[in-house]
């Protein structure tokens, strides 16, 4: 990626939405612009875990303003990620449908561990580099609005990651619902937080890291307050947390807080955030924590940079690991992938030679990942293996993938054979239907587990829900079983109200 290229990351957090625009400078990213809007999306989850209309409108309004700022950016230069609130929200699809339109770009809902991995990348890339730094074992803590991420890593590699459903917004709503601060409320809030976080001791105990870093949100806010009160800048200590707790209890209410360094939008959630942070200090025996400048959005930016430069895309590595873990027949996966790719290029010529920043190129790459994993369910049972494979992909931890990306792969795996009406993604989705048809035909043509002859096959799209497949009479005579399966495939699509016309001759 050329120096001067701009990249943008949008973080749809539970408390705030953030837009970070960076400029590439010799392999590093320098901040060009930063926007933050306090949306409090997490406050808008009702008892049934549905976002209220008011909360959604606040989010849409913020994203519309971000979208105006992102005008002129190409899809490969922008990535938007959503975290815990949208992981939880049952009506998230309703929110995301309009959110993607007003922003002008796709939005990925990322799993908790993927959020943790990206947070670590953001912190690691923004820490000062020094001799011996590659040996430093780091504990990275990020307390967000509705989740807290804990990561142990070295240099740029996250070795252990986890996400917990505890955060400043959630804990403030639960333990300080009216904004009142009391010693007993803090004691109960800290005990409750420890109960959620206690299994972190298995990988975050004091002997497993050298330096603790705090990222973004709550920890940054606490660091600012302590620095304004005369404590060491950039460092959060036990004494400092005790001092801050005493100040909050003496104030008695979030509206009565009078301290330098704390913004008005942080006051309503500082109580819950402080309770969680104190619980982490106590549980993990932390004496002091350094405030890091890096955060989730920075990890997203560096991931964009690395994907563009073809530095081993984490998703490709994940696919390879899953294929090995579930003992996929690699030769069959290869031939299905090559065949599906060739057929897809016929349907979408723009994908031929397209790079990873091009939408058609991304669709082709994801089709090949689906082909690599289409038999992943065989590890459980050959019967209904496509259903087992889809379940695995919808539930497995897959570093680098967003939840919605994995779901598309799971739907391709689910639909690679059998009836089509079981799919959740509509077949009038032009890209998905092209991917699915290419994959199904490839699996069919490779049924004998040998490389098929596809030179005589011509596949095209004649309408929104219409496809044409032409094969030579000679090919049909030489491969009667494959020709029979093609006739069966025509019927399968017909039952799903999609016209696939087979022409022989």
């Amino acid at each position: 990626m050329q120096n001067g290229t701009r990249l943008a990351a949008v973080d749809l957090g539970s408390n705030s939405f953030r837009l970070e625009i960076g400029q590439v400078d010799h392999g590093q990213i320098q901040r060009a612009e930063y926007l933050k809007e306090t949306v409090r999306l997490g406050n808008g989850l009702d008892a049934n875990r549905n976002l209220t209309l008011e909360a959604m409108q606040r989010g849409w309004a913020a994203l519309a303003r971000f979208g105006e700022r992102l005008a002129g950016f190409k899809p490969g230069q922008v990535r938007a990620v959503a975290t815990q609130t949208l992981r939880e929200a049952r009506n998230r699809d309703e929110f995301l449908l309009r959110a993607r339109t007003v922003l002008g770009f796709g939005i990925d809902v990322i799993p908790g561990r993927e959020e943790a991995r990206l947070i670590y990348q953001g912190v690691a890339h923004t820490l000062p580099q020094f001799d011996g730094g590659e040996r430093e074992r780091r504990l990275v803590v990020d307390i967000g609005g509705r989740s807290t991420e804990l990561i142990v890593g070295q240099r740029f590699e996250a070795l252990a990651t986890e996400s917990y459903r505890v955060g400043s917004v959630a804990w403030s709503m639960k333990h300080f619902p009216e904004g009142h601060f009391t010693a007993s409320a803090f004691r109960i809030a800290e005990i409750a937080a420890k109960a959620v976080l206690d299994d972190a001791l298995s990988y975050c105990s004091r002997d497993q890291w050298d330096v603790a870093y705090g990222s973004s949100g709550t920890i940054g806010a606490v660091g600012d307050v302590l620095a304004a009160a005369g404590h060491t800048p950039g460092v959060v200590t036990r004494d400092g947390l005790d001092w801050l707790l005493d100040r909050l209890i003496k104030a008695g209410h979030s509206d009565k807080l009078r301290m330098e360094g704390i913004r008005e939008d942080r006051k309503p959630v500082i109580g819950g955030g402080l309770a969680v942070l104190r619980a982490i200090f106590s549980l993990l025996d932390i004496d002091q924590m350094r405030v890091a400048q890096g955060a989730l959005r920075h990890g997203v930016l560096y991931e964009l940079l690395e994907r563009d430069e073809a530095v081993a895309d984490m998703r490709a590595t994940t696919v390879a690991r899953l294929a090995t873990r579930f003992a996929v027949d690699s030769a069959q996966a290869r031939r299905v992938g090559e065949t599906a790719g060739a057929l897809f290029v016929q349907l979408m010529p723009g994908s031929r030679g397209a790079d990873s920043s091009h939408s058609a190129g991304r669709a082709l790459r994801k089709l090949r990942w689906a082909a690599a994993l289409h038999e992943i369910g065989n590890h459980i049972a050959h019967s209904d293996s496509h259903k087992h494979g889809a379940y695995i992909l919808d539930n497995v931890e897959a570093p680098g993938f967003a939840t919605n990306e994995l779901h598309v792969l799971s739907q391709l795996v689910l639909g690679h054979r059998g009836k089509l009406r079981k799919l959740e993604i509509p077949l009038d989705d032009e890209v998905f239907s092209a991917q699915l048809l290419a994959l199904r035909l490839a699996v069919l043509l490779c049924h004998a587990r040998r490389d098929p002859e596809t030179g005589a096959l011509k596949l095209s799209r004649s309408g929104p829900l219409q496809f044409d497949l032409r094969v030579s009479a000679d090919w049909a005579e030489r491969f009667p079983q494959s020709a029979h399966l093609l006739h069966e495939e025509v019927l399968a699509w017909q039952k799903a109200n999609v016209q696939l016309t087979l022409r022989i001759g």
Side-chain angles (χ1 to χ4, degrees):
M1 187 173 287
Q2 295 181 348
N3 286 338
T5 300
R6 293 186 304 163
L7 299 174
V10 181
D11 171 7
L12 282 70
S14 297
N15 193 49
S16 304
F17 285 6
R18 293 176 169 88
L19 168 63
E20 181 90 18
I21 298 176
Q23 188 164 298
V24 177
D25 182 9
H26 296 87
Q28 298 297 310
I29 298 176
Q30 305 297 328
R31 173 179 282 184
E33 191 169 348
Y34 172 61
L35 301 175
K36 174 189 172 184
E37 298 219 14
T38 301
V39 175
R40 296 209 182 96
L41 198 67
N43 279 17
L45 278 179
D46 63 22
N48 295 317
R49 287 192 293 133
N50 284 312
L51 285 169
T52 64
L53 179 59
E54 292 78 10
M56 290 195 289
Q57 288 174 335
R58 292 196 300 270
W60 293 330
L63 291 175
R65 289 187 283 273
F66 287 178
E68 183 178 350
R69 182 62 192 83
L70 291 172
F73 278 75
K74 297 177 181 178
Q77 295 174 278
V78 179
R79 189 183 183 199
V81 297
T83 56
Q84 186 62 38
T85 294
L86 288 172
R87 287 197 286 267
E88 290 184 53
R90 290 181 175 177
N91 61 340
R92 71 181 181 193
D93 289 341
E94 177 186 351
F95 173 78
L96 289 172
L97 182 63
R98 184 172 174 186
R100 289 169 176 140
T101 300
V102 299
L103 180 64
F105 297 92
I107 298 172
D108 294 330
V109 180
I110 55 176
R113 286 182 177 173
E114 175 64 4
E115 179 181 357
R117 186 186 70 82
L118 288 170
I119 288 168
Y120 183 81
Q121 290 300 314
V123 170
H125 277 92
T126 53
L127 285 176
Q129 303 301 308
F130 58 91
D131 291 341
E134 67 277 2
R135 294 189 296 273
E136 179 183 87
R137 300 175 302 168
R138 298 162 175 160
L139 168 67
V140 174
V141 179
D142 188 300
I143 301 173
R146 294 188 72 89
S147 70
T148 291
E149 282 67 46
L150 300 178
I151 312 101
V152 173
Q154 283 184 285
R155 206 166 182 268
F156 298 117
E157 183 178 4
L159 303 174
T161 59
E162 194 52 87
S163 178
Y164 300 91
R165 291 175 62 173
V166 51
S168 60
V169 172
W171 244 233
S172 293
M173 292 174 64
K174 184 173 183 178
H175 298 283
F176 312 98
E178 303 299 327
H180 295 289
F181 298 140
T182 66
S184 62
F186 272 104
R187 183 171 60 255
I188 292 171
E190 289 179 34
I191 292 171
K194 286 182 183 179
V196 176
L197 297 163
D198 63 358
D199 76 355
L201 285 170
S202 63
Y203 66 95
C204 288
S205 59
R206 188 61 189 85
D207 61 337
Q208 293 176 289
W209 51 270
D210 302 314
V211 182
Y213 293 94
S215 166
S216 193
T218 291
I219 299 170
V222 169
D224 290 342
V225 171
L226 295 181
H231 295 256
T232 304
V235 177
V236 175
T237 63
R238 286 177 182 258
D239 289 343
L241 294 181
D242 289 342
W243 173 85
L244 182 55
L245 174 64
D246 182 63
R247 290 296 304 271
L248 264 59
I249 292 173
K250 286 181 177 178
H253 196 279
S254 59
D255 290 342
K256 296 180 180 180
L257 286 176
R258 300 292 184 269
M259 293 185 296
E260 290 186 31
I262 187 168
R263 301 188 307 271
E264 288 299 317
D265 66 324
R266 180 59 58 175
K267 290 181 180 180
V269 297
I270 190 66
L274 177 61
V276 175
L277 184 55
R278 285 175 58 84
I280 291 172
F281 263 67
S282 175
L283 187 68
L284 303 183
D285 194 23
I286 300 172
D287 292 319
Q288 69 172 28
M289 178 179 289
R290 301 179 187 177
V291 179
Q293 299 305 308
L296 171 62
R297 60 190 184 276
H298 301 103
V300 171
L301 287 176
Y302 276 98
E303 190 102 330
L304 279 173
L305 177 61
E306 291 176 357
R307 286 181 183 181
D308 179 85
E309 293 181 342
V311 176
D313 189 331
M314 174 63 72
R315 295 172 297 177
T317 302
T318 294
V319 168
R321 287 176 177 171
L322 286 173
T324 300
R325 176 180 172 186
F326 289 96
V328 166
D329 181 341
S330 59
Q332 178 70 353
R334 174 197 57 77
R335 65 174 65 95
V336 168
E338 291 176 354
T339 304
L343 292 169
F344 183 77
V345 166
Q346 291 186 37
L347 287 174
M348 299 191 73
S351 63
R352 188 190 305 275
D355 61 33
S356 61
S357 66
H358 192 283
S359 59
R362 293 196 301 271
L364 177 59
R365 181 170 49 170
K366 290 174 182 178
L367 169 61
R368 287 173 173 157
W369 289 338
L373 299 174
H374 80 281
E375 291 189 329
I376 195 173
N378 286 350
H379 187 75
I380 297 175
H382 284 277
S383 176
D384 289 334
S385 64
H386 56 306
K387 297 178 182 177
H388 302 316
Y391 178 84
I392 290 170
L393 290 175
D394 272 329
N395 292 276
V396 74
E397 290 290 346
F401 280 98
T403 301
N404 44 306
E405 280 185 311
L406 271 182
H407 187 59
V408 172
L409 290 188
S410 83
Q411 290 290 289
L412 288 171
V413 169
L414 178 63
H416 86 264
R417 64 184 178 91
K419 298 178 181 179
L420 291 164
R421 289 183 176 177
K422 61 182 176 289
L423 298 171
E424 296 176 7
I425 299 178
L427 293 175
D428 59 4
D429 181 316
E430 182 176 331
V431 173
F432 178 76
S433 60
Q435 291 173 316
L436 183 61
L437 179 57
L439 180 59
R440 285 176 65 95
L441 290 176
V443 170
L444 179 159
L445 295 169
C446 298
H447 69 91
R449 292 187 178 267
R450 60 173 179 260
D451 292 341
E453 292 184 23
T454 58
L457 278 70
K458 303 299 179 184
L459 183 62
S460 62
R461 185 193 296 271
S462 53
L465 293 172
Q466 296 177 324
F467 298 93
D468 287 320
L469 176 61
R470 296 177 180 271
V471 301
S472 69
D474 175 66
W475 183 92
E477 289 178 5
R478 288 188 294 119
F479 303 104
Q481 179 65 16
S482 293
H484 169 74
L485 293 174
L486 288 178
H487 283 289
E488 294 292 313
E489 186 67 7
V490 169
L491 295 176
W493 285 88
Q494 187 179 65
K495 291 177 181 178
N497 298 317
V498 178
Q499 182 181 333
L500 173 60
T501 303
L502 176 61
R503 307 178 193 277
I504 299 178

